[in-house]
């Protein structure tokens, strides 16, 4: 697929607000029924033994997504400073990370004023759109982001040690974010992921896709 076509599809999917609208876009592009463009999540046909064994309610599954965004923002700040997130110079807990990266006194959000909290909160957005009775939820964060090349080994992986040795993140086991999938949409559990590597980090990598946007449908 040409980049221009991929961009058009990506933007159309980002603007869609229902499962059927997204399916219509994929059908028009000739992708929905083309088996060759779909893969098992984590390349594992038995993946639901993990995915279906996460959160039991949609609200806790949504919170897990937001926690992952918090992790991504903290990791962004770490990498921007040239610090290995799992290295000895990295913060050893969330409080240290908040203090070092955002000047939050003692790592306690209660110690900063409303203006500082608002500025900090702008790193992560939860947006509801579409019908009030059946909304489309979007989580937008300004975290580290992933390149198209890295997406299969990050967003689309399970039980890997991606964050296991990073002391200041909460989501360590590379599975909790998938808990939302069984609550997504009515029939096909569709979820759209769009990502780009943070420019402050991308310049320090030899990944040839570092300056590209990537997207995938689950």
């Amino acid at each position: 697929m040409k980049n221009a076509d991929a961009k058009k599809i990506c933007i159309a999917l980002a603007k869609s607000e229902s499962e059927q609208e997204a399916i219509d876009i994929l059908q028009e592009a000739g992708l929905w029924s083309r088996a060759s463009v779909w893969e098992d999540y984590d390349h594992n046909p038995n993946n639901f033994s993990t995915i279906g064994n996460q959160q039991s309610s949609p609200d806790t599954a949504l919170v897990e997504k937001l926690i992952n965004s918090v992790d991504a923002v903290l990791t962004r700040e770490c990498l921007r400073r040239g610090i290995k997130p799992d290295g000895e110079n990295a913060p050893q807990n969330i409080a240290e990370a908040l203090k070092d990266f955002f000047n939050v006194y003692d790592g306690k959000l209660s110690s900063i004023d409303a203006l500082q909290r608002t500025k900090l909160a702008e790193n992560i957005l939860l947006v509801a759109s579409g019908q009030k009775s059946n909304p489309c939820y979007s989580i937008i964060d300004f975290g580290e982001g992933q390149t198209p090349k890295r997406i299969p080994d990050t967003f689309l992986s399970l039980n890997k040690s991606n964050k296991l040795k990073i002391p200041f993140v909460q989501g360590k086991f590379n599975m909790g974010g998938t808990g939302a999938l069984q609550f997504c949409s009515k029939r096909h559990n569709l979820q759209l992921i769009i990502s780009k590597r943070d420019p402050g980090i991308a310049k320090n990598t030899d990944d040839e896709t570092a300056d590209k946007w990537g997207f995938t449908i689950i």
Side-chain angles (χ1 to χ4, degrees), residues 193-217:
I193 295 175
I194 305 174
S195 191
K196 183 182 181 182
R197 196 68 164 160
D198 175 74
I201 302 170
K203 63 185 179 182
N204 299 319
T205 180
D206 57 359
D207 186 336
E208 68 275 10
T209 67
D211 63 340
K212 307 292 185 184
W213 284 91
F215 74 101
T216 188
I217 283 273

Side-chain angles (χ1 to χ4, degrees), residues 98 104-113 117 120:
L98 288 171
V104 176
Y105 181 72
D106 279 350
K108 297 180 180 178
L109 295 177
S110 58
S111 69
I112 59 177
D113 60 32
R117 282 196 295 273
L120 188 59

Side-chain angles (χ1 to χ4, degrees), residues 108-137:
K108 297 180 180 178
L109 295 177
S110 58
S111 69
I112 59 177
D113 60 32
L115 184 62
Q116 288 174 294
R117 282 196 295 273
T118 298
K119 186 176 181 180
L120 188 59
E122 288 174 349
N123 282 285
I124 303 170
L125 309 174
L126 173 59
V127 180
S129 59
Q131 298 178 354
K132 188 174 181 179
S133 60
N134 186 30
C136 175
Y137 291 108

Side-chain angles (χ1 to χ4, degrees), residues 2-4 14 28 32 54 56 67 75 78 80 88 133 136 145 151 154 158 160 163 170 175 177 193 198 208-209 213:
K2 295 180 180 179
N3 286 340
E28 184 178 351
W32 181 250
Q54 302 301 313
S56 58
I67 288 174
T75 303
C78 191
R80 279 182 176 180
E88 59 181 15
S133 60
C136 175
I151 284 177
T154 52
L158 281 174
K160 302 296 190 299
K163 299 196 292 184
Q170 300 175 75
M175 63 175 78
I193 295 175
D198 175 74
E208 68 275 10
T209 67
W213 284 91

Side-chain angles (χ1 to χ4, degrees), residues 29-166:
L31 300 174
W32 181 250
S33 300
R34 192 190 304 175
S36 61
V37 303
W38 299 95
E39 294 186 13
D40 292 317
Y41 196 105
D42 196 43
H43 307 289
N44 177 15
N46 192 35
N47 54 47
F48 197 73
S49 60
T50 297
I51 294 172
N53 196 33
Q54 302 301 313
Q55 299 84 9
S56 58
S57 62
D59 52 341
T60 53
L62 181 61
V63 168
E64 183 69 31
K65 288 285 191 183
L66 294 168
I67 288 174
N68 285 340
S69 289
V70 173
D71 290 347
V73 171
L74 294 176
T75 303
R76 177 201 71 192
E77 291 300 310
C78 191
L79 291 170
R80 279 182 176 180
R81 290 163 172 76
I83 301 171
K84 289 185 62 177
D86 58 353
E88 59 181 15
N89 294 323
Q92 294 305 296
N93 52 56
I94 296 175
E96 279 189 24
L98 288 171
K99 181 180 178 181
D100 293 350
F101 300 153
F102 294 103
N103 298 314
V104 176
Y105 181 72
D106 279 350
K108 297 180 180 178
L109 295 177
S110 58
S111 69
I112 59 177
D113 60 32
L115 184 62
Q116 288 174 294
R117 282 196 295 273
T118 298
K119 186 176 181 180
L120 188 59
E122 288 174 349
N123 282 285
I124 303 170
L125 309 174
L126 173 59
V127 180
S129 59
Q131 298 178 354
K132 188 174 181 179
S133 60
N134 186 30
C136 175
Y137 291 108
S138 300
I139 298 173
I140 305 164
D141 70 55
F142 295 89
E144 61 171 311
Q146 301 298 337
T147 69
K149 186 176 180 179
R150 289 169 57 93
I151 284 177
D153 298 319
T154 52
F155 295 129
L156 304 180
S157 64
L158 281 174
N159 301 308
K160 302 296 190 299
S161 57
N162 296 342
K163 299 196 292 184
L164 187 61
K165 296 181 180 180
I166 302 177

Side-chain angles (χ1 to χ4, degrees), residues 174-187:
N174 194 221
M175 63 175 78
T178 62
L181 293 174
Q182 60 183 316
F183 303 110
C184 291
S185 65
K186 294 182 177 180
R187 182 180 179 189

